[in-house]
Amino acid sequence: MSVVRLDHLTKVFPGGTAAVDDLSLTTADGEFLVLVGPSGCGKSTVLRMIAGLEEATSGDVYIDRERVTDWAPKERDIAMVFQNYALYPHMTVRQNMGFALRLRHVETARARRQVAETANLLGLRDLLDRKPKALSGGQRQRVAMGRAMVRRPRVFLLDEPLSNLDAKLRVSMRAELARLHQRYRVTTVYVTHDQIEAMTLGDRIAVLDQGRLQQIGTPDQLYRAPANRFVAGFMGSPSMNFATVTPSRGEPVTVTLGGVELEIPDALRRWPGLRAHLGSPVVMGLRPAAITLAGAASGSAVEVVPLGVEALGDEKHLLFEAPGEGTAGDRTDAGELPVTVDDPQGGRLWTAKVAQDADLAIGRPVRLALDLGAAYFFDAGSGLAVPEAGAGDEPGAGPPSPGMGPDDPRARAVTAAEW
Ligand SMILES: Nc1ncnc2c1ncn2[C@@H]1O[C@H](COP(=O)(O)OP(=O)(O)OP(=O)(O)O)[C@@H](O)[C@H]1O
Ligand SMILES: [Mg+2]
């Protein structure tokens, strides 16, 4: 069991890019911490600095109170599984797994026992005498994991270990990893750019962007109380929809979207900070599930024209042009819409998650109800969230949240600034 602490860790590569910028965080003992962020945000560089494979420009790495910044990789008692887990092709599974032990002169009987135990655990027992080329992708992946686990390291570092697997295998390996972690509780730092992997595996998730920590917290904290627009857009699938709106002065507070004036229920009590934004632009975020098809009688529906309809079996995704402050299709705020992370169209598209039997056709207008009670608000300049007040203190104070109680995470999201 071990604790990893990064203290103002920074890496500037020759040429000047700060791949990792003043990163401070501490794992809990036995924690599964996921580092997530878009390609190039510095995830692998962080792992490589923890492992000692990359020298820090400044800042320190501690493992269990010991400053290991200047220690060689092999002194750190860390095992790392790389994105492209190269196995030794000429060695059998048994030899691949035992190699690290041999290097460390672990006594033969003990090494054999450890390899056998780990192989059992990973379901590799019957494959021990095969060579990598006679294994499936998933089996090779398990050998790579086994090779790292066999040493019983203090800390596990995994860099996108599932990225080479097909979708189905990823899901089963994900479950496998969770099970192994439950059992051994080895402190793990796991890198991925896949937010579903992050949400399902992480005790906590640290979100990085451009080398900087954006927020660290439980999956629920990040989802329910994102510290800023970046985190809001990154966590959740499909991504949160964003639009620039101008909340009206006076109560009830309304915003206009697609030419329709919509009330933000209980706005100033829910988001006291919104008072400072009345009459000026603020970024509103709405998750795809907060948009439903409006009944014919609904007076406050926004009409949109479907640009795409994706049937996913048990639900449908409806894609449409982001409604602006003018009438539907009016690009009054062209250029102002923030870009959502996943959206190849650059933020011009919104997505609604609707029922699988919804009758939709591309080009045929539909009316949508937007649940602004489930909205998020962000400062149009800084992107910082306008926090929701006392969420969880009073029943009905926030969007429905199963299990909401005194520990409600929305009340205590940790922002990058606090770290
Ligand atoms: N050896 C290097 N020399 C110069 N720049 C580097 C080097 N290694 C990484 N970088 C740069 O540092 C930044 C962070 O790279 P890193 O590999 O840590 O990103 P990542 O988050 O792991 O991305 P991915 O998800 O694509 O693996 C990138 O801009 C990358 O181009
Ligand atoms: Mg990487």
Side-chain angles (χ1 to χ4, degrees), residues 339-404:
V339 172
T340 60
V341 174
D342 287 337
D343 182 356
Q345 310 287 325
R348 301 231 63 94
L349 285 186
W350 272 29
T351 309
K353 241 186 216 182
V354 297
Q356 151 272 329
D357 59 357
D359 179 23
L360 299 169
I362 291 175
R364 192 176 74 208
V366 284
R367 284 153 47 81
L368 299 177
L370 312 186
D371 176 10
L372 298 199
Y376 296 76
F377 296 95
F378 306 93
D379 187 285
S382 68
L384 287 177
V386 177
E388 213 183 318
D393 295 351
E394 303 159 66
S401 142
M404 199 164 81

Side-chain angles (χ1 to χ4, degrees), residues 40 43-45 83 159-160 191:
K43 304 178 298 291
S44 297
T45 307
Q83 202 160 342
D159 192 353
E160 310 224 19
V191 160

Side-chain angles (χ1 to χ4, degrees), residues 84-98:
N84 54 348
Y85 51 90
L87 300 174
Y88 302 109
H90 58 285
M91 292 186 191
T92 62
V93 169
R94 189 192 311 280
Q95 290 163 336
N96 263 287
M97 287 178 64

Side-chain angles (χ1 to χ4, degrees), residues 150-170:
V150 77
R151 294 203 283 110
R152 314 271 191 273
R154 285 201 286 180
V155 178
F156 243 146
L157 304 177
L158 303 170
D159 192 353
E160 310 224 19
L162 309 186
S163 58
N164 290 335
L165 305 180
D166 67 49
K168 204 171 153 203
L169 207 48
R170 284 169 78 114

Side-chain angles (χ1 to χ4, degrees), residues 14-368:
T17 7
V20 178
D21 192 356
D22 198 27
L23 177 65
S24 295
L25 61 81
T26 308
T27 70
D29 191 9
E31 181 173 37
F32 200 111
L33 178 72
V34 177
L35 282 186
V36 70
S39 183
C41 73
K43 304 178 298 291
S44 297
T45 307
V46 173
L47 276 204
R48 293 170 58 78
M49 286 195 285
I50 298 174
L53 300 170
E54 195 78 68
E55 200 180 320
T57 307
S58 61
D60 284 298
V61 178
Y62 293 84
I63 300 175
D64 292 334
R65 298 214 184 94
E66 282 179 300
R67 182 179 168 277
V68 303
T69 319
D70 307 319
W71 292 17
K74 68 174 192 303
E75 296 168 337
R76 300 188 186 200
D77 197 12
I78 280 175
M80 182 153 169
V81 177
F82 296 91
Q83 202 160 342
N84 54 348
Y85 51 90
L87 300 174
Y88 302 109
H90 58 285
M91 292 186 191
T92 62
V93 169
R94 189 192 311 280
Q95 290 163 336
N96 263 287
M97 287 178 64
F99 190 65
L101 299 176
R102 244 179 57 212
L103 281 185
R104 274 152 209 268
H105 307 296
V106 174
E107 178 230 333
T108 316
R110 193 170 138 224
R112 203 173 282 159
R113 201 172 55 241
Q114 278 179 224
V115 168
E117 269 175 34
T118 310
N120 280 348
L121 193 77
L122 290 168
L124 294 169
R125 189 170 42 188
D126 300 332
L127 307 174
L128 280 169
D129 296 312
R130 293 208 198 162
K131 294 207 172 140
K133 67 174 186 313
L135 300 175
S136 73
Q139 290 165 340
R140 279 180 217 168
Q141 182 61 40
R142 271 182 278 160
V143 176
M145 295 285 305
R147 202 169 54 172
M149 285 172 57
V150 77
R151 294 203 283 110
R152 314 271 191 273
R154 285 201 286 180
V155 178
F156 243 146
L157 304 177
L158 303 170
D159 192 353
E160 310 224 19
L162 309 186
S163 58
N164 290 335
L165 305 180
D166 67 49
K168 204 171 153 203
L169 207 48
R170 284 169 78 114
V171 174
S172 67
M173 278 304 291
R174 207 159 73 200
E176 188 87 336
L177 272 171
R179 190 178 62 82
L180 287 172
H181 183 71
Q182 283 292 334
R183 178 149 174 199
Y184 289 102
R185 290 270 160 208
V186 176
T187 304
T188 302
V189 185
Y190 184 99
V191 160
T192 180
H193 61 260
D194 177 344
Q195 53 94 17
I196 294 180
E197 240 168 75
M199 295 285 281
T200 52
L201 282 171
D203 291 321
R204 283 188 308 160
I205 300 171
V207 183
L208 290 185
D209 184 34
Q210 296 180 29
R212 287 193 211 107
L213 182 63
Q214 302 296 310
Q215 189 173 6
I216 182 167
T218 64
D220 204 48
Q221 283 172 336
L222 267 53
Y223 188 81
R224 296 196 181 281
N228 59 37
R229 205 173 72 196
F230 180 83
V231 175
F234 199 77
M235 306 307 293
S237 177
S239 296
M240 188 183 282
N241 304 299
F242 296 105
T244 304
V245 295
T246 309
S248 65
R249 297 175 195 278
E251 290 193 73
V253 177
T254 62
V255 297
T256 301
L257 269 180
V260 181
E261 193 177 8
L262 303 167
E263 183 179 331
I264 310 172
D266 215 8
L268 297 180
R269 198 170 62 85
R270 293 265 307 278
W271 294 276
L274 212 49
R275 198 173 286 280
H277 296 274
L278 300 182
S280 56
V282 68
V283 173
M284 187 179 79
L286 209 53
R287 295 210 185 268
I291 306 174
T292 49
L293 296 183
S298 168
S300 57
V302 174
E303 190 174 276
V304 305
V305 180
L307 295 175
V309 178
E310 299 172 342
L312 300 178
D314 52 1
E315 65 186 34
K316 269 184 188 160
H317 292 173
L318 164 65
L319 283 72
F320 53 98
E321 188 176 346
E325 293 196 294
T327 49
D330 244 12
R331 296 191 168 206
T332 49
D333 58 354
E336 281 184 47
L337 279 175
V339 172
T340 60
V341 174
D342 287 337
D343 182 356
Q345 310 287 325
R348 301 231 63 94
L349 285 186
W350 272 29
T351 309
K353 241 186 216 182
V354 297
Q356 151 272 329
D357 59 357
D359 179 23
L360 299 169
I362 291 175
R364 192 176 74 208
V366 284
R367 284 153 47 81
L368 299 177

